[in-house]
Amino acid sequence: MNEPFEKQQKERPAQHQARQPGREGAMQPRPIFIRDDYRGSGKLDGQAALITGGDSGIGRAVAVHFAREGADVAIVYLDEHDDANETRRLVEAEGRRCLTIAGDVGAEDFCRQAVEETVQAFGRLDVLVNNAAEQHAVGGLEEITAQQIERTFRTNIFGYFFMAKAALPHLDGNGRMINTTSVTAYHGHEQLLDYASTKGAIVSFTRSLARSLAERGIRVNGVAPGPIWTPLIPATFPADKVESFGAQTPMGRAGQPAELGPAYVYLAAEDSSYMTGQVLHLNGGDFVES
Protein backbone atom coordinates (compact mmCIF):
# COMPACT_ATOMS: atom_id res chain seq x y z
CA MET A 1 0.00 0.00 0.00
CA ASN A 2 2.90 2.40 0.68
CA GLU A 3 4.76 1.65 -2.56
CA PRO A 4 3.48 4.76 -4.43
CA PHE A 5 4.51 6.97 -1.50
CA GLU A 6 8.01 5.48 -1.34
CA LYS A 7 8.38 5.68 -5.12
CA GLN A 8 7.64 9.40 -5.06
CA GLN A 9 10.45 10.00 -2.58
CA LYS A 10 12.97 8.25 -4.83
CA GLU A 11 11.88 9.92 -8.04
CA ARG A 12 11.37 13.51 -6.85
CA PRO A 13 13.59 15.94 -8.80
CA ALA A 14 15.11 19.12 -7.40
CA GLN A 15 12.64 21.97 -7.90
CA HIS A 16 11.67 25.39 -6.60
CA GLN A 17 8.71 27.73 -6.95
CA ALA A 18 9.28 31.44 -6.56
CA ARG A 19 5.91 32.40 -5.13
CA GLN A 20 4.02 31.38 -1.98
CA PRO A 21 1.89 29.47 -1.21
CA GLY A 22 2.89 27.44 -4.27
CA ARG A 23 1.00 25.70 -7.07
CA GLU A 24 0.25 21.99 -6.98
CA GLY A 25 -0.03 21.90 -10.77
CA ALA A 26 3.65 22.81 -11.06
CA MET A 27 4.95 20.11 -8.71
CA GLN A 28 6.91 17.07 -9.86
CA PRO A 29 5.61 14.57 -9.00
CA ARG A 30 2.13 15.68 -7.99
CA PRO A 31 1.15 14.95 -4.39
CA ILE A 32 -1.10 11.93 -3.81
CA PHE A 33 -4.33 13.30 -2.33
CA ILE A 34 -6.30 10.07 -1.77
CA ARG A 35 -5.54 6.36 -1.96
CA ASP A 36 -7.12 4.46 -4.82
CA ASP A 37 -8.47 1.93 -2.32
CA TYR A 38 -10.02 4.46 0.10
CA ARG A 39 -13.70 3.62 0.47
CA GLY A 40 -16.14 6.10 1.95
CA SER A 41 -18.79 4.84 4.35
CA GLY A 42 -21.11 7.82 4.70
CA LYS A 43 -19.45 9.18 7.83
CA LEU A 44 -20.32 12.76 6.79
CA ASP A 45 -23.48 12.21 4.79
CA GLY A 46 -25.50 15.39 4.30
CA GLN A 47 -23.03 17.61 6.12
CA ALA A 48 -21.21 20.74 4.97
CA ALA A 49 -17.58 21.64 5.57
CA LEU A 50 -15.48 24.75 5.02
CA ILE A 51 -11.73 24.20 4.48
CA THR A 52 -9.20 27.03 4.32
CA GLY A 53 -6.20 26.40 2.11
CA GLY A 54 -8.46 23.84 0.45
CA ASP A 55 -7.18 24.24 -3.10
CA SER A 56 -4.12 22.00 -2.80
CA GLY A 57 -1.91 19.87 -0.58
CA ILE A 58 -3.46 18.80 2.72
CA GLY A 59 -6.52 20.94 2.08
CA ARG A 60 -7.27 19.19 -1.22
CA ALA A 61 -6.86 15.80 0.44
CA VAL A 62 -9.29 16.77 3.18
CA ALA A 63 -11.80 18.11 0.66
CA VAL A 64 -11.81 14.93 -1.43
CA HIS A 65 -11.94 12.63 1.61
CA PHE A 66 -14.84 14.61 3.06
CA ALA A 67 -16.66 14.46 -0.28
CA ARG A 68 -16.15 10.71 -0.52
CA GLU A 69 -17.69 10.47 2.95
CA GLY A 70 -20.76 12.39 1.79
CA ALA A 71 -20.09 16.05 2.63
CA ASP A 72 -20.50 19.16 0.51
CA VAL A 73 -17.35 21.26 0.66
CA ALA A 74 -16.43 24.94 0.46
CA ILE A 75 -12.75 25.65 -0.11
CA VAL A 76 -11.11 28.96 0.69
CA TYR A 77 -7.86 29.82 -1.06
CA LEU A 78 -5.73 32.87 -1.82
CA ASP A 79 -5.42 33.13 -5.61
CA GLU A 80 -4.41 29.69 -6.94
CA HIS A 81 -7.42 29.49 -9.25
CA ASP A 82 -6.21 26.55 -11.35
CA ASP A 83 -5.58 24.42 -8.27
CA ALA A 84 -8.93 25.42 -6.77
CA ASN A 85 -10.79 24.53 -9.96
CA GLU A 86 -9.10 21.12 -10.02
CA THR A 87 -10.10 20.47 -6.41
CA ARG A 88 -13.66 21.47 -7.25
CA ARG A 89 -13.63 19.01 -10.15
CA LEU A 90 -12.40 16.24 -7.85
CA VAL A 91 -15.07 16.96 -5.22
CA GLU A 92 -17.82 17.08 -7.82
CA ALA A 93 -16.55 13.78 -9.26
CA GLU A 94 -17.46 12.30 -5.86
CA GLY A 95 -21.03 13.45 -6.41
CA ARG A 96 -20.89 16.36 -3.94
CA ARG A 97 -21.18 20.13 -4.30
CA CYS A 98 -18.09 22.33 -4.08
CA LEU A 99 -17.92 26.08 -3.53
CA THR A 100 -14.65 27.90 -4.22
CA ILE A 101 -13.98 31.21 -2.45
CA ALA A 102 -10.86 33.26 -3.17
CA GLY A 103 -9.51 35.71 -0.61
CA ASP A 104 -7.16 36.42 2.28
CA VAL A 105 -7.95 34.67 5.58
CA GLY A 106 -5.90 37.34 7.33
CA ALA A 107 -8.80 39.76 6.77
CA GLU A 108 -11.66 39.30 9.25
CA ASP A 109 -14.28 40.73 6.88
CA PHE A 110 -13.35 38.14 4.27
CA CYS A 111 -13.64 35.31 6.80
CA ARG A 112 -17.15 36.43 7.72
CA GLN A 113 -18.04 36.60 4.04
CA ALA A 114 -16.67 33.11 3.37
CA VAL A 115 -18.75 31.59 6.15
CA GLU A 116 -21.87 33.45 5.00
CA GLU A 117 -21.40 32.25 1.41
CA THR A 118 -20.94 28.68 2.60
CA VAL A 119 -24.10 28.69 4.71
CA GLN A 120 -26.06 30.35 1.93
CA ALA A 121 -24.89 27.75 -0.60
CA PHE A 122 -25.37 24.63 1.55
CA GLY A 123 -27.92 25.75 4.13
CA ARG A 124 -25.68 24.69 7.01
CA LEU A 125 -22.11 24.42 8.32
CA ASP A 126 -21.02 21.41 10.33
CA VAL A 127 -17.23 21.32 10.11
CA LEU A 128 -14.61 24.07 9.92
CA VAL A 129 -11.06 23.08 8.94
CA ASN A 130 -8.50 25.82 9.55
CA ASN A 131 -5.60 24.83 7.32
CA ALA A 132 -4.31 27.84 5.36
CA ALA A 133 -0.68 28.74 6.11
CA GLU A 134 2.45 30.40 4.85
CA GLN A 135 6.09 30.01 5.82
CA HIS A 136 9.33 31.80 4.93
CA ALA A 137 12.74 30.24 5.49
CA VAL A 138 15.46 32.55 6.86
CA GLY A 139 19.07 32.20 7.96
CA GLY A 140 18.46 33.59 11.43
CA LEU A 141 16.37 35.86 13.62
CA GLU A 142 18.12 38.96 12.28
CA GLU A 143 16.61 38.34 8.84
CA ILE A 144 12.99 38.33 10.01
CA THR A 145 11.33 41.68 9.39
CA ALA A 146 8.40 43.07 11.30
CA GLN A 147 6.42 42.83 8.08
CA GLN A 148 7.16 39.11 7.74
CA ILE A 149 6.25 38.38 11.36
CA GLU A 150 2.94 40.19 11.01
CA ARG A 151 2.14 38.53 7.68
CA THR A 152 2.87 35.03 8.95
CA PHE A 153 0.89 35.49 12.15
CA ARG A 154 -2.00 37.10 10.31
CA THR A 155 -2.35 34.15 7.94
CA ASN A 156 -1.48 31.30 10.28
CA ILE A 157 -3.18 32.23 13.54
CA PHE A 158 -5.24 35.42 13.12
CA GLY A 159 -7.06 33.67 10.27
CA TYR A 160 -7.90 30.75 12.55
CA PHE A 161 -9.41 33.11 15.12
CA PHE A 162 -11.37 34.99 12.46
CA MET A 163 -12.76 31.86 10.79
CA ALA A 164 -13.66 30.21 14.11
CA LYS A 165 -15.43 33.34 15.33
CA ALA A 166 -17.42 33.66 12.12
CA ALA A 167 -18.38 29.98 12.11
CA LEU A 168 -19.45 29.75 15.77
CA PRO A 169 -23.12 30.76 15.35
CA HIS A 170 -23.60 27.91 12.86
CA LEU A 171 -21.83 25.17 14.82
CA ASP A 172 -23.75 25.04 18.11
CA GLY A 173 -24.99 21.60 19.09
CA ASN A 174 -22.71 19.26 17.16
CA GLY A 175 -20.12 21.40 15.39
CA ARG A 176 -16.53 20.45 14.82
CA MET A 177 -13.39 22.49 14.25
CA ILE A 178 -10.10 20.99 13.11
CA ASN A 179 -6.93 23.08 13.17
CA THR A 180 -3.77 22.20 11.26
CA THR A 181 -0.71 22.78 13.41
CA SER A 182 2.73 21.19 12.76
CA VAL A 183 5.51 19.07 14.16
CA THR A 184 7.47 22.36 14.30
CA ALA A 185 5.23 23.47 17.17
CA TYR A 186 6.93 20.77 19.26
CA HIS A 187 10.41 20.52 17.74
CA GLY A 188 10.92 24.08 16.58
CA HIS A 189 12.70 24.82 13.30
CA GLU A 190 15.88 26.84 12.91
CA GLN A 191 14.83 28.37 9.56
CA LEU A 192 11.12 28.84 10.29
CA LEU A 193 11.07 30.75 13.58
CA ASP A 194 7.91 32.73 12.98
CA TYR A 195 6.08 29.84 11.32
CA ALA A 196 6.89 27.43 14.15
CA SER A 197 5.76 30.06 16.64
CA THR A 198 2.37 30.35 14.95
CA LYS A 199 2.02 26.58 14.97
CA GLY A 200 2.69 26.53 18.71
CA ALA A 201 0.01 29.18 19.09
CA ILE A 202 -2.41 26.97 17.15
CA VAL A 203 -1.89 24.14 19.65
CA SER A 204 -2.75 26.45 22.55
CA PHE A 205 -5.65 27.94 20.61
CA THR A 206 -7.02 24.45 19.96
CA ARG A 207 -6.79 23.37 23.59
CA SER A 208 -8.23 26.62 24.95
CA LEU A 209 -11.06 26.85 22.44
CA ALA A 210 -12.01 23.22 23.10
CA ARG A 211 -12.46 24.02 26.79
CA SER A 212 -14.41 27.16 25.96
CA LEU A 213 -16.85 25.48 23.58
CA ALA A 214 -17.40 22.04 25.10
CA GLU A 215 -20.62 23.08 26.83
CA ARG A 216 -21.97 24.29 23.48
CA GLY A 217 -21.45 20.87 21.93
CA ILE A 218 -18.60 22.02 19.69
CA ARG A 219 -15.49 19.85 19.54
CA VAL A 220 -12.11 21.37 18.63
CA ASN A 221 -9.12 19.21 17.72
CA GLY A 222 -5.96 19.48 15.67
CA VAL A 223 -3.60 17.62 13.37
CA ALA A 224 0.17 18.12 13.54
CA PRO A 225 1.72 16.96 10.27
CA GLY A 226 5.39 16.18 9.91
CA PRO A 227 7.08 16.75 6.53
CA ILE A 228 4.30 16.42 3.93
CA TRP A 229 4.73 16.84 0.18
CA THR A 230 2.65 19.94 -0.57
CA PRO A 231 3.12 23.09 -2.72
CA LEU A 232 4.36 24.98 0.33
CA ILE A 233 7.58 22.94 0.27
CA PRO A 234 9.00 23.92 -3.16
CA ALA A 235 7.70 27.44 -2.54
CA THR A 236 9.75 27.66 0.69
CA PHE A 237 13.03 25.80 0.32
CA PRO A 238 15.84 25.75 -2.28
CA ALA A 239 15.75 23.03 -4.91
CA ASP A 240 18.38 20.77 -3.34
CA LYS A 241 16.53 20.63 -0.01
CA VAL A 242 13.26 19.92 -1.78
CA GLU A 243 14.81 16.91 -3.49
CA SER A 244 15.66 15.29 -0.13
CA PHE A 245 12.69 16.66 1.82
CA GLY A 246 11.41 14.16 4.38
CA ALA A 247 14.35 11.79 4.15
CA GLN A 248 15.39 12.65 7.73
CA THR A 249 12.35 10.95 9.28
CA PRO A 250 12.65 7.41 10.70
CA MET A 251 10.44 6.24 7.83
CA GLY A 252 12.89 7.83 5.40
CA ARG A 253 10.39 9.78 3.30
CA ALA A 254 7.98 12.67 3.24
CA GLY A 255 4.33 11.94 3.89
CA GLN A 256 1.61 12.36 1.29
CA PRO A 257 -1.59 14.37 1.82
CA ALA A 258 -3.49 11.11 1.26
CA GLU A 259 -2.02 9.85 4.52
CA LEU A 260 -3.55 12.75 6.47
CA GLY A 261 -7.03 12.91 4.96
CA PRO A 262 -8.42 9.99 7.01
CA ALA A 263 -7.27 11.67 10.25
CA TYR A 264 -9.40 14.71 9.42
CA VAL A 265 -12.31 12.42 8.60
CA TYR A 266 -11.92 10.79 12.02
CA LEU A 267 -11.97 14.15 13.80
CA ALA A 268 -14.96 15.35 11.78
CA ALA A 269 -17.01 12.17 12.28
CA GLU A 270 -18.84 10.72 15.26
CA ASP A 271 -15.99 8.22 15.67
CA SER A 272 -14.21 10.93 17.69
CA SER A 273 -17.27 12.01 19.70
CA TYR A 274 -15.41 11.84 23.06
CA MET A 275 -12.36 13.70 21.83
CA THR A 276 -11.73 17.44 22.11
CA GLY A 277 -8.70 19.63 22.71
CA GLN A 278 -6.38 16.98 21.29
CA VAL A 279 -3.77 16.88 18.51
CA LEU A 280 -3.07 13.91 16.24
CA HIS A 281 0.56 13.49 15.18
CA LEU A 282 1.23 12.16 11.69
CA ASN A 283 4.95 12.57 11.15
CA GLY A 284 6.65 9.43 9.89
CA GLY A 285 8.01 8.56 13.32
CA ASP A 286 9.50 11.98 14.00
CA PHE A 287 8.43 11.61 17.62
CA VAL A 288 7.34 14.55 19.72
CA GLU A 289 6.28 15.13 23.28
CA SER A 290 2.60 16.08 23.20
Side-chain angles (χ1 to χ4, degrees):
M1 185 176 66
N2 291 332
E3 183 178 349
F5 306 148
E6 295 165 355
K7 182 179 179 183
Q8 276 223 9
Q9 185 75 26
K10 297 175 183 176
E11 297 182 351
R12 184 192 314 139
Q15 59 197 281
H16 178 71
Q17 295 186 29
R19 186 174 181 273
Q20 290 243 357
R23 267 60 176 172
E24 187 153 324
M27 296 175 72
Q28 301 178 39
R30 300 279 185 89
I32 301 171
F33 55 86
I34 195 168
R35 301 192 322 269
D36 291 339
D37 63 349
Y38 183 90
R39 297 291 179 264
S41 57
K43 291 180 183 294
L44 302 175
D45 269 352
Q47 298 189 34
L50 190 160
I51 304 165
T52 70
D55 59 297
S56 63
I58 295 170
R60 173 180 289 179
V62 175
V64 177
H65 279 83
F66 279 14
R68 191 163 293 186
E69 293 291 352
D72 294 321
V73 179
I75 59 172
V76 168
Y77 66 101
L78 185 59
D79 58 6
E80 308 80 16
H81 304 298
D82 289 344
D83 283 348
N85 288 333
E86 174 64 8
T87 300
R88 179 173 60 189
R89 184 189 70 79
L90 292 165
V91 168
E92 291 176 345
E94 300 292 336
R96 306 310 305 178
R97 293 176 291 175
C98 185
L99 177 67
T100 58
I101 308 171
D104 183 359
V105 295
E108 186 171 12
D109 286 347
F110 168 72
C111 292
R112 283 195 294 263
Q113 173 191 336
V115 170
E116 289 170 4
E117 289 186 21
T118 301
V119 173
Q120 183 176 9
F122 301 145
R124 60 191 295 166
L125 178 61
D126 302 280
V127 185
L128 169 66
V129 179
N130 280 313
N131 174 69
E134 64 179 88
Q135 62 183 21
H136 306 277
V138 297
L141 180 62
E142 299 88 346
E143 296 181 18
I144 302 178
T145 65
Q147 181 181 12
Q148 177 179 318
I149 294 171
E150 182 173 350
R151 181 65 247 176
T152 303
F153 270 77
R154 182 161 289 278
T155 298
N156 296 9
I157 184 64
F158 285 22
Y160 283 35
F161 272 83
F162 297 155
M163 291 299 307
K165 184 179 176 182
L168 269 181
H170 307 283
L171 295 176
D172 276 335
N174 191 34
R176 285 131 285 154
M177 294 187 193
I178 308 170
N179 298 322
T180 303
T181 176
S182 167
V183 69
T184 64
Y186 302 87
H187 277 179
H189 194 292
E190 66 277 9
Q191 291 185 301
L192 302 172
L193 279 75
D194 51 341
Y195 172 84
S197 298
T198 64
K199 293 300 180 175
I202 290 167
V203 173
S204 294
F205 175 61
T206 299
R207 291 172 173 168
S208 299
L209 192 60
R211 285 181 171 273
S212 173
L213 298 180
E215 291 185 354
R216 294 172 61 173
I218 302 172
R219 296 189 292 109
V220 186
N221 290 291
V223 176
I228 307 297
W229 183 231
T230 73
L232 200 56
I233 303 310
T236 299
F237 299 108
D240 58 334
K241 288 197 174 184
V242 172
E243 186 176 17
S244 60
F245 176 73
Q248 78 281 4
T249 66
M251 292 183 70
R253 64 173 177 84
Q256 292 290 332
E259 297 177 281
L260 273 67
Y264 287 82
V265 170
Y266 169 70
L267 294 176
E270 284 304 302
D271 296 337
S272 60
S273 60
Y274 195 54
M275 185 175 184
T276 195
Q278 305 303 310
V279 177
L280 299 181
H281 298 271
L282 294 91
N283 53 37
D286 194 7
F287 302 115
V288 300
E289 295 294 332
S290 60

mmCIF file with all atom_site columns, all heavy atoms in Angstrom, residues 55 63 70 109 124 194 202 213 259 271 284:
data_model
loop_
_atom_site.group_PDB
_atom_site.id
_atom_site.type_symbol
_atom_site.label_atom_id
_atom_site.label_alt_id
_atom_site.label_comp_id
_atom_site.label_asym_id
_atom_site.label_entity_id
_atom_site.label_seq_id
_atom_site.pdbx_PDB_ins_code
_atom_site.Cartn_x
_atom_site.Cartn_y
_atom_site.Cartn_z
_atom_site.occupancy
_atom_site.B_iso_or_equiv
_atom_site.pdbx_formal_charge
_atom_site.auth_seq_id
_atom_site.auth_comp_id
_atom_site.auth_asym_id
_atom_site.auth_atom_id
_atom_site.pdbx_PDB_model_num
ATOM 1  N N   . ASP A 1 55  ? -7.415  24.410 -1.665 1.00 0.00 ? 55  ASP A N   1
ATOM 2  C CA  . ASP A 1 55  ? -7.179  24.238 -3.099 1.00 0.00 ? 55  ASP A CA  1
ATOM 3  C C   . ASP A 1 55  ? -6.148  23.171 -3.418 1.00 0.00 ? 55  ASP A C   1
ATOM 4  O O   . ASP A 1 55  ? -6.156  22.590 -4.502 1.00 0.00 ? 55  ASP A O   1
ATOM 5  C CB  . ASP A 1 55  ? -6.728  25.564 -3.708 1.00 0.00 ? 55  ASP A CB  1
ATOM 6  C CG  . ASP A 1 55  ? -5.453  26.080 -3.048 1.00 0.00 ? 55  ASP A CG  1
ATOM 7  O OD1 . ASP A 1 55  ? -5.498  26.363 -1.823 1.00 0.00 ? 55  ASP A OD1 1
ATOM 8  O OD2 . ASP A 1 55  ? -4.411  26.178 -3.719 1.00 0.00 ? 55  ASP A OD2 1
ATOM 9  N N   . ALA A 1 63  ? -10.597 17.848 1.440  1.00 0.00 ? 63  ALA A N   1
ATOM 10 C CA  . ALA A 1 63  ? -11.805 18.111 0.660  1.00 0.00 ? 63  ALA A CA  1
ATOM 11 C C   . ALA A 1 63  ? -12.298 16.854 -0.047 1.00 0.00 ? 63  ALA A C   1
ATOM 12 O O   . ALA A 1 63  ? -13.501 16.537 -0.026 1.00 0.00 ? 63  ALA A O   1
ATOM 13 C CB  . ALA A 1 63  ? -11.541 19.222 -0.355 1.00 0.00 ? 63  ALA A CB  1
ATOM 14 N N   . GLY A 1 70  ? -19.399 11.900 1.920  1.00 0.00 ? 70  GLY A N   1
ATOM 15 C CA  . GLY A 1 70  ? -20.758 12.390 1.795  1.00 0.00 ? 70  GLY A CA  1
ATOM 16 C C   . GLY A 1 70  ? -20.984 13.854 2.065  1.00 0.00 ? 70  GLY A C   1
ATOM 17 O O   . GLY A 1 70  ? -22.137 14.311 2.069  1.00 0.00 ? 70  GLY A O   1
ATOM 18 N N   . ASP A 1 109 ? -13.079 40.534 7.699  1.00 0.00 ? 109 ASP A N   1
ATOM 19 C CA  . ASP A 1 109 ? -14.278 40.725 6.882  1.00 0.00 ? 109 ASP A CA  1
ATOM 20 C C   . ASP A 1 109 ? -14.416 39.612 5.853  1.00 0.00 ? 109 ASP A C   1
ATOM 21 O O   . ASP A 1 109 ? -15.530 39.122 5.595  1.00 0.00 ? 109 ASP A O   1
ATOM 22 C CB  . ASP A 1 109 ? -14.245 42.079 6.184  1.00 0.00 ? 109 ASP A CB  1
ATOM 23 C CG  . ASP A 1 109 ? -14.514 43.232 7.131  1.00 0.00 ? 109 ASP A CG  1
ATOM 24 O OD1 . ASP A 1 109 ? -14.973 42.977 8.265  1.00 0.00 ? 109 ASP A OD1 1
ATOM 25 O OD2 . ASP A 1 109 ? -14.252 44.392 6.750  1.00 0.00 ? 109 ASP A OD2 1
ATOM 26 N N   . ARG A 1 124 ? -26.190 25.124 5.708  1.00 0.00 ? 124 ARG A N   1
ATOM 27 C CA  . ARG A 1 124 ? -25.680 24.689 7.009  1.00 0.00 ? 124 ARG A CA  1
ATOM 28 C C   . ARG A 1 124 ? -24.147 24.730 6.991  1.00 0.00 ? 124 ARG A C   1
ATOM 29 O O   . ARG A 1 124 ? -23.515 24.856 5.945  1.00 0.00 ? 124 ARG A O   1
ATOM 30 C CB  . ARG A 1 124 ? -26.133 23.263 7.317  1.00 0.00 ? 124 ARG A CB  1
ATOM 31 C CG  . ARG A 1 124 ? -25.648 22.246 6.269  1.00 0.00 ? 124 ARG A CG  1
ATOM 32 C CD  . ARG A 1 124 ? -26.319 20.890 6.440  1.00 0.00 ? 124 ARG A CD  1
ATOM 33 N NE  . ARG A 1 124 ? -25.933 20.279 7.710  1.00 0.00 ? 124 ARG A NE  1
ATOM 34 C CZ  . ARG A 1 124 ? -26.578 19.228 8.226  1.00 0.00 ? 124 ARG A CZ  1
ATOM 35 N NH1 . ARG A 1 124 ? -27.611 18.700 7.598  1.00 0.00 ? 124 ARG A NH1 1
ATOM 36 N NH2 . ARG A 1 124 ? -26.170 18.704 9.380  1.00 0.00 ? 124 ARG A NH2 1
ATOM 37 N N   . ASP A 1 194 ? 9.239   32.143 12.844 1.00 0.00 ? 194 ASP A N   1
ATOM 38 C CA  . ASP A 1 194 ? 7.909   32.731 12.983 1.00 0.00 ? 194 ASP A CA  1
ATOM 39 C C   . ASP A 1 194 ? 6.828   31.714 12.664 1.00 0.00 ? 194 ASP A C   1
ATOM 40 O O   . ASP A 1 194 ? 5.800   31.643 13.340 1.00 0.00 ? 194 ASP A O   1
ATOM 41 C CB  . ASP A 1 194 ? 7.762   33.993 12.123 1.00 0.00 ? 194 ASP A CB  1
ATOM 42 C CG  . ASP A 1 194 ? 8.186   33.795 10.675 1.00 0.00 ? 194 ASP A CG  1
ATOM 43 O OD1 . ASP A 1 194 ? 8.911   32.831 10.381 1.00 0.00 ? 194 ASP A OD1 1
ATOM 44 O OD2 . ASP A 1 194 ? 7.793   34.617 9.826  1.00 0.00 ? 194 ASP A OD2 1
ATOM 45 N N   . ILE A 1 202 ? -1.237  27.730 17.589 1.00 0.00 ? 202 ILE A N   1
ATOM 46 C CA  . ILE A 1 202 ? -2.405  26.969 17.153 1.00 0.00 ? 202 ILE A CA  1
ATOM 47 C C   . ILE A 1 202 ? -2.713  25.836 18.124 1.00 0.00 ? 202 ILE A C   1
ATOM 48 O O   . ILE A 1 202 ? -3.879  25.538 18.411 1.00 0.00 ? 202 ILE A O   1
ATOM 49 C CB  . ILE A 1 202 ? -2.209  26.439 15.721 1.00 0.00 ? 202 ILE A CB  1
ATOM 50 C CG1 . ILE A 1 202 ? -2.238  27.608 14.725 1.00 0.00 ? 202 ILE A CG1 1
ATOM 51 C CG2 . ILE A 1 202 ? -3.287  25.417 15.355 1.00 0.00 ? 202 ILE A CG2 1
ATOM 52 C CD1 . ILE A 1 202 ? -1.754  27.250 13.335 1.00 0.00 ? 202 ILE A CD1 1
ATOM 53 N N   . LEU A 1 213 ? -15.664 25.803 24.367 1.00 0.00 ? 213 LEU A N   1
ATOM 54 C CA  . LEU A 1 213 ? -16.846 25.477 23.580 1.00 0.00 ? 213 LEU A CA  1
ATOM 55 C C   . LEU A 1 213 ? -17.474 24.128 23.899 1.00 0.00 ? 213 LEU A C   1
ATOM 56 O O   . LEU A 1 213 ? -18.500 23.768 23.319 1.00 0.00 ? 213 LEU A O   1
ATOM 57 C CB  . LEU A 1 213 ? -16.496 25.515 22.088 1.00 0.00 ? 213 LEU A CB  1
ATOM 58 C CG  . LEU A 1 213 ? -16.027 26.863 21.543 1.00 0.00 ? 213 LEU A CG  1
ATOM 59 C CD1 . LEU A 1 213 ? -15.712 26.754 20.057 1.00 0.00 ? 213 LEU A CD1 1
ATOM 60 C CD2 . LEU A 1 213 ? -17.064 27.952 21.796 1.00 0.00 ? 213 LEU A CD2 1
ATOM 61 N N   . GLU A 1 259 ? -2.225  10.520 3.248  1.00 0.00 ? 259 GLU A N   1
ATOM 62 C CA  . GLU A 1 259 ? -2.020  9.847  4.522  1.00 0.00 ? 259 GLU A CA  1
ATOM 63 C C   . GLU A 1 259 ? -2.575  10.658 5.693  1.00 0.00 ? 259 GLU A C   1
ATOM 64 O O   . GLU A 1 259 ? -2.637  10.160 6.820  1.00 0.00 ? 259 GLU A O   1
ATOM 65 C CB  . GLU A 1 259 ? -0.536  9.557  4.718  1.00 0.00 ? 259 GLU A CB  1
ATOM 66 C CG  . GLU A 1 259 ? 0.005   8.602  3.656  1.00 0.00 ? 259 GLU A CG  1
ATOM 67 C CD  . GLU A 1 259 ? 1.483   8.346  3.779  1.00 0.00 ? 259 GLU A CD  1
ATOM 68 O OE1 . GLU A 1 259 ? 2.276   9.210  3.341  1.00 0.00 ? 259 GLU A OE1 1
ATOM 69 O OE2 . GLU A 1 259 ? 1.868   7.272  4.297  1.00 0.00 ? 259 GLU A OE2 1
ATOM 70 N N   . ASP A 1 271 ? -16.991 9.135  15.117 1.00 0.00 ? 271 ASP A N   1
ATOM 71 C CA  . ASP A 1 271 ? -15.985 8.218  15.670 1.00 0.00 ? 271 ASP A CA  1
ATOM 72 C C   . ASP A 1 271 ? -15.181 8.883  16.781 1.00 0.00 ? 271 ASP A C   1
ATOM 73 O O   . ASP A 1 271 ? -14.685 8.215  17.687 1.00 0.00 ? 271 ASP A O   1
ATOM 74 C CB  . ASP A 1 271 ? -15.029 7.747  14.573 1.00 0.00 ? 271 ASP A CB  1
ATOM 75 C CG  . ASP A 1 271 ? -15.728 6.932  13.506 1.00 0.00 ? 271 ASP A CG  1
ATOM 76 O OD1 . ASP A 1 271 ? -16.792 6.360  13.797 1.00 0.00 ? 271 ASP A OD1 1
ATOM 77 O OD2 . ASP A 1 271 ? -15.217 6.876  12.376 1.00 0.00 ? 271 ASP A OD2 1
ATOM 78 N N   . GLY A 1 284 ? 5.656   10.381 10.362 1.00 0.00 ? 284 GLY A N   1
ATOM 79 C CA  . GLY A 1 284 ? 6.653   9.427  9.893  1.00 0.00 ? 284 GLY A CA  1
ATOM 80 C C   . GLY A 1 284 ? 7.599   8.938  10.967 1.00 0.00 ? 284 GLY A C   1
ATOM 81 O O   . GLY A 1 284 ? 8.713   8.506  10.657 1.00 0.00 ? 284 GLY A O   1
#
